[in-house]
């Protein structure tokens, strides 16, 4: 949630001021001029860049499970696990990108470098597939089997897809935050645009994958893998060129330095004062002066009463006064209260973040078990064959519809009903609704699987049409609008100024761990369900298994997670920044 501030010296006329108010700078490091930088001109370039880059990424990711089974000869369970691990690695790399962005490179440089790595990985995958993996020609379409592959060929394949993981993962958290940087949250009009940007960003992400899930998905399902991969490489290259073209119009924030050292300083300084008797009511705490705050453009964070142990790091003792004597204090002995509050902010976010991981387990089923379920259903209409992976286009359409519905209908309606200064549902409430819809989606998938098994042919696919999967895809799409868009807004708003990319990376890493947890759950389920020579819940031939039980298990786990999330959301207290127009604690509590 954007916040509007006013300087202590007096109010400004924000509508006529030529310079931005949030401390952003232009390409040359000068204060950014509002009319010549940022806003929707730069924001639109970034949205287009995101759409093209997403098209490229999903051109590989959406059908990767089928590539592993048809081209590399892996079984369903192994392929699903490998896709989950790869997707998880994509988002683990988001932490690398966020760290470099916040600490050293800045968001623009981080985006440019990792997009270059992304293009390199896609080109490498296209070359290795065309010249080595797709032999004999035309294999990988489900009818013609591909030959054996050498260790070198397999090594090139895995090197390529993990370069793609590194490039896309490192780029994603920085581009989301860099796009938000183009809007001045201290300006009345641009602050509302900044909130809206996250919805449009997620919409661009989904619309970018629409072409991949339909056109590219169809060609790859027919065995034209190299064509699909080359199209992805071309889209990624175009995205990079477009991003670089917008360079003169971007707004930037200077990197704030290594956050790990700042965190360690707080912990060490607090530990060194274990035996010190502190004064009540937060007295004698070290606060930096206004000049220092102005130089790094990071707003001060007000003192809060949670995690009192950490307050010791900012407590000024007689020893600190003797050592200081006009010089800057040693941060390993005495830290500013804003630095202490940075650590508190992250600690408060962690329980909420952990509760989003199980949701990501549900989300990742679209790229693995939903595709395998669809492949075992009737996929033909007359002579036209529907690629199972293309069913995720209904998820994308659902996202587009629900973003419009939420922003234009539901949000204003709830604002009127609440009769308060805030509009619509809070981020925490929206994330909770996303979990509820996710439970319903898994129940829907389980019911569809029950009927698929009922109409399954002996040794073949089911006569149940693949279009029965539409409800589960549409429900996942609706839950994304509430969960992932809410996450992007929430983590961006609740992280300190020097850790904005890290806030976006928290959203990405929840998806990452969700994929790893999904892989772990599949492995445990297969180990238990295959005892006594049973085929298991997810065998190679799904007609012999019980995929429905797995979906119902995920619904149960998500329900338990929802209960834990509500408790954590009620406990959460939002960040308190200095110099606000108004103290809006609306989203600091979760109302059922």
């Amino acid at each position: 949630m954007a916040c509007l501030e006013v300087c202590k010296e007096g109010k400004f006329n924000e509508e006529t001021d030529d310079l931005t108010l949030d401390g952003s700078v232009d390409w040359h490091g000068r204060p950014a001029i509002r009319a010549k930088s940022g806003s929707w001109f730069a924001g639109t370039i970034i949205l287009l860049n995101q759409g093209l880059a997403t098209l490229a990424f999903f051109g590989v990711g959406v059908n990767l499970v089928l590539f592993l089974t048809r081209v590399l000869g892996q079984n369903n369970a192994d392929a699903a696990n490998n896709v989950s691990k790869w997707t998880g690695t994509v988002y683990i790399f988001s932490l690398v990108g966020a760290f470099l962005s916040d600490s050293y490179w800045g968001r623009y440089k981080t985006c440019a470098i990792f997009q270059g790595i992304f293009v390199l990985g896609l080109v490498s995958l296209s070359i290795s597939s065309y010249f080595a993996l797709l032999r004999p020609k035309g294999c990988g379409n489900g009818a013609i089997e591909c030959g054996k592959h050498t260790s070198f060929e397999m090594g090139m394949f895995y090197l390529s897809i993990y370069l793609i993981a590194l490039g896309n993962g490192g780029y994603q958290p920085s581009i989301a935050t860099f796009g938000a940087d183009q809007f001045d949250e201290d300006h009345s009009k641009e602050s509302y645009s900044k909130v809206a940007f996250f919805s449009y960003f997620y919409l661009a992400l989904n619309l970018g994958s629409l072409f991949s899930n339909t056109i590219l998905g169809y060609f790859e399902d027919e065995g034209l893998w190299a064509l699909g991969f080359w199209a992805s490489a071309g889209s990624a290259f175009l995205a990079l060129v477009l991003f670089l073209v917008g360079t003169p119009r971007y707004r930037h924030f200077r990197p704030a330095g290594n956050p790990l050292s700042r965190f360690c300083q707080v912990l060490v300084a607090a530990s060194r004062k274990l035996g010190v008797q502190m004064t009540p009511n937060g007295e004698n705490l070290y606060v930096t002066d206004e000049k220092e705050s102005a130089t790094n453009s990071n707003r001060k964070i007000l003192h809060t009463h949670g995690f009192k142990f950490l307050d010791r790091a900012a407590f000024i003792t007689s020893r600190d006064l003797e050592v200081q004597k006009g010089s800057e204090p040693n941060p390993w002995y005495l830290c500013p209260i804003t630095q202490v509050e940075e650590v508190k902010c992250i600690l408060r976010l962690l329980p909420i973040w952990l509760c989003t991981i199980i949701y990501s387990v549900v989300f990742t089923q679209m790229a693995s078990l939903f595709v395998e379920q669809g492949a075992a259903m009737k996929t033909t209409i007359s002579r036209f064959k529907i690629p199972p992976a293309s069913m995720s286009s209904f998820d994308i359409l659902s996202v587009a519809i629900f973003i419009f519905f939420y922003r234009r209908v539901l949000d204003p309606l709830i604002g009127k009903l609440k009769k308060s200064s805030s509009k619509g549902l809070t981020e925490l409430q929206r994330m909770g609704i996303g979990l509820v819809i996710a439970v319903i989606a898994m129940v829907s998938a389980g019911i569809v699987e029950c009927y698929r098994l009922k109409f399954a042919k002996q040794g073949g696919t089911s006569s149940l049409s693949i279009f029965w999967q539409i409800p589960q895809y549409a429900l996942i799409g609706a839950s994304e609008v509430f969960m992932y868009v809410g996450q992007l807004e929430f983590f961006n708003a609740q992280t300190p100024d020097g850790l904005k990319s890290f806030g976006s990376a928290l959203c990405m890493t929840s998806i990452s761990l969700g994929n790893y947890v999904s892989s772990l759950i599949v492995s445990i389920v297969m180990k238990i369900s295959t005892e006594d020579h049973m085929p298991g819940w997810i065998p190679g031939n799904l007609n012999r298994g019980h995929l429905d039980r797995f979906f119902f298990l995920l619904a149960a786990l998500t329900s338990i997670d929802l209960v834990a999330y509500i408790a954590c959301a009620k406990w959460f207290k939002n960040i308190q920044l200095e110099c606000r127009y108004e103290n809006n604690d609306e989203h600091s509590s979760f109302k059922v």
Side-chain angles (χ1 to χ4, degrees):
M1 181 177 292
C3 63
L4 300 178
E5 299 182 359
V6 61
C7 298
K8 289 183 177 179
E9 290 79 86
K11 293 187 178 181
F12 43 75
N13 188 345
E14 62 177 30
E15 305 299 340
T16 59
D17 200 339
D18 290 331
L19 301 179
T20 55
L21 308 169
D22 57 2
S24 58
V25 297
D26 62 15
W27 172 249
H28 301 287
R30 300 170 302 201
I33 299 174
R34 187 181 312 283
K36 296 182 179 180
S37 66
S39 196
W40 279 115
F41 183 89
T44 301
I45 291 176
I46 292 172
L47 291 176
L48 291 173
N49 168 267
Q50 172 67 8
L52 290 169
T54 303
L55 187 157
F57 177 72
F58 282 100
V60 174
V62 75
N63 265 331
L64 185 59
V65 67
L66 295 183
F67 188 88
L68 293 175
T69 54
R70 293 180 181 181
V71 178
L72 302 186
Q74 298 181 5
N75 61 46
N76 284 335
D78 288 341
N81 273 347
N82 283 329
V83 170
S84 293
K85 291 174 183 176
W86 176 77
T87 307
T89 304
V90 171
Y91 296 110
I92 282 293
F93 282 136
S94 69
L95 287 175
V96 177
F99 175 78
L100 293 172
S101 173
D102 286 335
S103 304
Y104 304 110
W105 290 355
R107 290 186 262 278
Y108 172 83
K109 187 177 180 180
T110 303
C111 290
I113 291 175
F114 279 105
Q115 282 190 79
I117 296 172
F118 184 46
V119 172
L120 178 63
L122 286 165
V123 171
S124 175
L125 177 63
S126 303
I127 292 173
S128 62
S129 297
Y130 182 77
F131 289 104
L133 300 177
L134 297 172
R135 291 287 181 269
K137 187 176 181 179
C139 73
N141 60 357
I144 305 174
E145 292 187 6
C146 293
K148 298 289 184 179
H149 303 105
T150 66
S151 299
F152 176 77
E153 291 169 348
M154 293 298 294
M156 282 297 298
F157 168 76
Y158 281 109
L159 174 63
S160 299
I161 63 171
Y162 279 95
L163 277 175
I164 294 170
L166 174 61
N168 188 265
Y171 150 85
Q172 279 296 328
S174 299
I175 196 66
T177 311
F178 188 59
D181 288 345
Q182 307 311 307
F183 302 93
D184 184 356
E185 71 174 23
D186 294 340
H187 185 267
S188 60
K189 293 181 180 178
E190 289 194 16
S191 64
Y192 291 110
S193 296
K194 183 172 184 175
V195 174
F197 174 81
F198 288 109
S199 293
Y200 295 131
F201 180 85
Y202 199 76
L203 180 61
L205 187 153
N206 279 272
L207 292 179
S209 64
L210 181 61
F211 182 84
S212 303
N213 294 344
T214 53
I215 307 300
L216 288 188
Y218 174 78
F219 284 124
E220 290 172 355
D221 189 62
E222 293 296 314
L224 300 175
W225 295 98
L227 176 62
F229 293 157
W230 277 117
S232 293
S235 179
F237 179 75
L238 182 60
L240 176 58
V241 171
L242 182 64
F243 179 78
L244 296 176
V245 166
T247 298
R249 292 297 300 263
Y250 296 140
R251 296 175 187 171
H252 307 265
F253 285 89
R254 298 183 181 92
N258 189 344
L260 295 179
S261 62
R262 299 202 303 272
F263 280 29
C264 291
Q265 287 167 356
V266 171
L267 297 177
V268 171
S271 300
R272 283 174 167 167
K273 298 178 181 178
L274 281 176
V276 174
Q277 185 67 32
M278 293 184 62
T279 56
N281 302 322
E283 298 174 355
N284 294 339
L285 298 179
Y286 176 49
V287 180
T288 54
D289 58 24
E290 294 295 329
K291 293 181 179 178
E292 180 179 347
S293 180
T295 56
N296 58 22
S297 74
N298 290 342
R299 294 164 294 181
K300 291 183 180 180
I301 308 175
L302 299 180
H303 175 245
T304 59
H305 295 288
F307 301 102
K308 290 183 179 295
F309 164 76
L310 296 176
D311 287 344
R312 296 177 180 276
F315 183 69
I316 303 174
T317 63
S318 56
R319 179 190 178 281
D320 294 322
L321 293 173
E322 292 175 3
V323 172
Q324 185 174 350
K325 292 182 179 178
S327 62
E328 289 295 324
N330 186 336
W332 296 97
Y333 286 91
L334 181 64
C335 302
I337 191 60
T338 288
Q339 186 176 341
V340 174
E341 290 298 324
E342 276 189 348
V343 180
K344 290 185 181 181
C345 287
I346 300 305
L347 292 177
R348 289 191 180 103
L349 288 174
L350 289 180
I352 300 292
W353 172 71
L354 288 172
C355 290
T356 64
I357 293 173
I358 289 296
Y359 173 82
S360 295
V361 174
V362 172
F363 175 74
T364 194
Q365 304 313 312
M366 283 199 307
S368 54
L369 292 180
F370 279 18
V371 177
E372 293 180 8
Q373 180 190 41
M377 301 174 75
K378 182 183 177 182
T379 59
T380 57
I381 298 179
S382 185
R383 296 182 180 180
F384 181 76
K385 183 179 179 182
I386 302 167
S390 70
M391 291 298 293
S392 58
S393 59
F394 289 101
D395 163 77
I396 298 167
L397 292 174
S398 177
V399 167
I401 291 170
F402 271 88
I403 282 180
F404 175 82
F405 175 74
Y406 176 76
R407 287 293 176 194
R408 299 296 183 183
V409 180
L410 189 60
D411 195 49
L413 177 62
I414 293 176
K416 291 180 180 179
L417 293 176
K418 291 171 71 173
K419 297 180 180 179
S420 64
S421 58
S422 65
K423 291 187 177 181
L425 298 168
T426 68
E427 293 98 330
L428 288 174
Q429 289 169 337
R430 285 153 57 192
M431 291 159 66
I433 292 172
L435 282 171
V436 172
I437 300 175
V439 173
I440 301 172
M442 284 296 98
V443 171
S444 174
I447 293 173
V448 168
E449 180 62 14
C450 290
Y451 278 94
R452 191 198 67 78
L453 289 171
K454 182 178 180 180
F455 293 97
K457 300 175 183 177
Q458 188 68 29
T461 60
S462 174
S463 60
L464 190 68
S465 172
I466 194 173
F467 287 113
W468 283 99
Q469 284 191 311
I470 291 177
Q472 64 202 57
Y473 277 104
L475 286 167
I476 292 292
S479 70
E480 288 176 61
V481 172
F482 288 97
M483 173 58 80
Y484 282 143
V485 175
Q487 270 193 70
L488 281 171
E489 293 181 27
F490 176 74
F491 288 128
N492 186 270
Q494 295 302 317
T495 47
D497 288 340
L499 293 168
K500 292 298 184 183
S501 293
F502 176 76
S504 297
L506 283 177
C507 181
M508 310 298 174
T509 50
S510 75
I511 302 175
S512 167
L513 292 179
N515 279 273
Y516 286 120
V517 171
S518 174
S519 177
L520 177 63
I521 294 174
V522 169
S523 298
I524 294 174
V525 164
M526 287 301 294
K527 182 175 180 59
I528 295 175
S529 63
T530 53
E531 291 182 354
D532 299 326
H533 306 288
M534 297 294 289
W537 287 6
I538 317 173
N541 182 359
L542 291 182
N543 292 341
R544 300 177 59 203
H546 283 285
L547 187 58
D548 54 329
R549 296 178 183 175
F550 183 79
F551 289 145
F552 291 139
L553 172 64
L554 291 186
L557 292 175
T558 309
S559 299
I560 296 171
D561 182 60
L562 175 62
V563 175
Y565 172 80
I566 293 174
C568 292
K570 282 181 172 291
W571 167 82
F572 180 80
K573 301 297 181 184
N574 74 316
I575 189 172
Q576 297 292 324
L577 296 172
E578 192 177 54
C579 297
R580 291 193 172 190
Y581 280 138
E582 57 185 356
N583 184 19
N584 185 356
D585 292 335
E586 187 71 28
H587 65 292
S588 65
S589 62
F590 185 91
K591 299 177 181 179
V592 182

